[in-house]
Amino acid sequence: INNLAGELGTTEHIKNDFISSVSHELRTPLTAIKGWAETIMASKPEDTETMHKGMQVILDETSRLSSMVEDLLDFSRMQNGRFRMVIDKIDILAELEEAVLMFTDRARRESLTLVFNEPDELPHLMGDRNRLRQVFVNILDNAFKYSAAGGEVKIETVNCGDHIKIIITDTGCGIPAQQLSRVKRKFFKGNMTKRGSGIGLAVADEIICLHGGTLELASEEGKGTEVTITLPTAEKKVPAI
């Protein structure tokens, strides 16, 4: 009973920290959007540089805000058993290519090298293309977020016959050994100095589990992180959720 009470107390503490963190994270983009909107409104029509810079910040912050809200909604659906997937036969290589394309410009802006060792082909999978793309975007966003300028983010694939592996590695700050076993837990956010809700990875892990696969992390602090996603090929059926 004492152990259970201790665990419940820890969970409550983590949840409260999570709510506080999310509230702060939601406030940050809203403050930036409001500030730049006011700046644009006050600027002269011929000041195109300020307008362009402001609009870019507003677009970036709106996109980040939207992503956080979607993570929160997905988390709520999972907690309430209302999470749904649309299962179909998909070209996983095309989905990876789309995710890489989304981050190409960001890699240039942040002085990172994005490497995709693209295979000639990969077996088709049974899954939800939008949910899987959501996972790839989440993992890549984390890789970029925790990597400094001059670093590298690499995507590789391995065809193992009845399943494929998608391996995403970065040369970022890495995850401390004492946190590695907890990073996929709901509400857990290891690095409080980085932006994010702290539930994106938990949602990604749940999505991969619903596809009959696994999401595993290996990391060394100061050297980087490797995320390995394993998914069954189309021969193994995934039940509609």
Side-chain angles (χ1 to χ4, degrees), residues 14 18 70-79 83 131 134-135 138-139 142 145-146 175 180-190 196-211 213-217 227:
I14 293 172
F18 164 77
E70 284 302 316
D71 280 348
L72 289 168
L73 288 172
D74 282 341
F75 174 74
S76 176
R77 294 184 190 111
M78 287 175 178
Q79 292 293 98
F83 190 78
R131 293 300 185 184
Q134 177 183 348
V135 171
N138 179 277
I139 301 302
N142 281 340
K145 188 188 303 180
Y146 293 103
I175 303 169
L180 192 57
S181 63
R182 295 182 286 163
V183 292
K184 293 192 291 183
R185 289 184 186 177
K186 299 176 178 68
F187 303 133
F188 182 79
K189 185 179 178 183
S197 64
I199 59 174
L201 195 58
V203 171
D205 184 51
E206 187 73 17
I207 290 171
I208 295 301
C209 286
L210 291 173
H211 280 82
T214 60
L215 189 155
E216 300 171 325
L217 290 96
V227 179

Side-chain angles (χ1 to χ4, degrees), residues 17-214:
D17 284 347
F18 164 77
I19 292 171
S20 175
S21 173
V22 167
S23 299
H24 174 74
E25 290 296 335
L26 291 173
R27 185 190 304 144
T28 302
L30 288 172
T31 300
I33 291 168
K34 183 176 183 290
W36 274 103
E38 291 172 344
T39 300
I40 292 172
M41 287 288 289
S43 64
K44 297 179 180 180
E46 60 270 20
D47 191 359
T48 56
E49 183 178 350
T50 296
M51 292 183 69
H52 179 77
K53 183 178 180 181
M55 289 304 296
Q56 186 61 58
V57 171
I58 289 172
L59 286 171
D60 290 344
E61 293 300 317
T62 302
S63 177
R64 186 163 69 89
L65 190 59
S66 177
S67 178
M68 288 177 60
V69 171
E70 284 302 316
D71 280 348
L72 289 168
L73 288 172
D74 282 341
F75 174 74
S76 176
R77 294 184 190 111
M78 287 175 178
Q79 292 293 98
N80 297 321
R82 294 183 290 107
F83 190 78
R84 295 288 179 267
M85 296 199 304
V86 180
I87 302 300
D88 199 2
K89 193 171 186 177
I90 61 174
D91 182 353
I92 195 65
L93 184 55
E95 300 309 316
L96 279 171
E97 290 171 345
E98 184 68 24
V100 170
L101 184 62
M102 290 173 61
F103 282 85
T104 299
D105 189 56
R106 179 174 170 182
R108 179 187 56 77
R109 293 198 314 268
E110 298 182 10
S111 301
L112 292 167
T113 301
L114 179 59
V115 178
F116 179 30
N117 293 327
E118 184 177 352
D120 293 331
E121 62 179 2
L122 284 174
H124 283 63
L125 307 180
M126 295 300 296
D128 186 320
R129 67 179 70 251
N130 292 324
R131 293 300 185 184
L132 287 174
R133 188 183 301 174
Q134 177 183 348
V135 171
F136 301 148
V137 168
N138 179 277
I139 301 302
L140 285 170
D141 180 63
N142 281 340
F144 275 67
K145 188 188 303 180
Y146 293 103
S147 295
E152 179 182 272
V153 176
K154 183 187 294 184
I155 306 167
E156 299 176 284
T157 61
V158 181
N159 182 358
C160 303
D162 64 346
H163 65 277
I164 66 166
K165 290 183 181 290
I166 299 161
I167 305 164
I168 301 173
T169 57
D170 65 63
T171 55
C173 61
I175 303 169
Q178 66 271 23
Q179 294 183 2
L180 192 57
S181 63
R182 295 182 286 163
V183 292
K184 293 192 291 183
R185 289 184 186 177
K186 299 176 178 68
F187 303 133
F188 182 79
K189 185 179 178 183
N191 191 335
M192 299 301 291
T193 66
K194 294 293 183 179
R195 294 176 170 181
S197 64
I199 59 174
L201 195 58
V203 171
D205 184 51
E206 187 73 17
I207 290 171
I208 295 301
C209 286
L210 291 173
H211 280 82
T214 60

